[in-house]
Amino acid sequence: MSFLVRISATDATIIRVFRVHRVMKAIVTGSLLALVAATGCGGEDAGGASGSSGAEQLPKDRAYESTEVTRDGEPHELVPGTKIQLRFDHGEVGAHAGCNQLTGQAELRDDRLVIPDIGGTMMACEDELMAQEEWVSEFLTSEPVMSLDGETLVLEGDDTTIEFVESSNAEEDRPLESTRWIVDTVIQGEVASSVPEDAEAYVIFDGDGNASGNGGCNTFGAQYTATDNQLEVTDLTATMMSCGEERDQFERTVFDVLDDNPGYEIEGEELTLTAESEDAQLQLIAD
């Protein structure tokens, strides 16, 4: 079974963009002709983004995620379970394509997104995720044309077009409690891995202080309290089966995170649990 890897939304960071508005200022120095020249001719709307330049023209404080990708004129499917995410913040662009968090300085130049260089974390992920991240990085640094229409952001390059929707409108956050959260990815240090084959790990927080689920081999129960995006899990008990070295090690990591007062963060259908010691993290998907 191939491993599916996804960097967390750890980032608490997920990727905020707002509609660009450009106000052209004309300085009248003495003649109507000078005014016309300063504002431009040919009927261009002064509120449009055409011709805007500089980092100050970039959107801020919005999150966008991909809804459609076209490459070489054909619809392109991303690696299952992944989306391309973007954020803009004071001249910096962040991106996530399923593996590492990518960042770079950026500016809007004649309606093109200009990112001279992009770098990021250095996790080793599955080959298909690394390949996807590579072409997304190359695309973002190729100076694609950027346009906004309502809550839709479009980046268009020579042979690739990516449409995004504002993340706040893409999906509402699922509640922590009374949701069956399925473990999708485990991150330890800079190593990420998916659930072993034939294993299913999940947890349910019932809203009355009881947690239950399966660690990937054994069923478990525990008590919990949730305050200020922090969980305190106590009295965790589980059955005592062995399911082989790989599944047993995976389950130990799941239980270690749950038993380490994890912080939690929910983004849409995704729950991230980060051990208080910050040496391990679980990525979970709402069932």
Side-chain angles (χ1 to χ4, degrees), residues 51-53 59 63 65 126 131 135 142 155 171 190 244 266:
S52 298
S53 297
E65 60 184 32
E126 195 177 56
W135 75 253
S142 69
L155 294 179
E171 54 190 19
E190 294 186 350
I266 299 173

Side-chain angles (χ1 to χ4, degrees), residues 177-178 204-211 222-225:
E177 297 174 324
S178 301
I204 300 171
F205 303 100
D206 70 358
D208 292 323
N210 302 303
Q223 305 296 306
Y224 78 94
T225 56

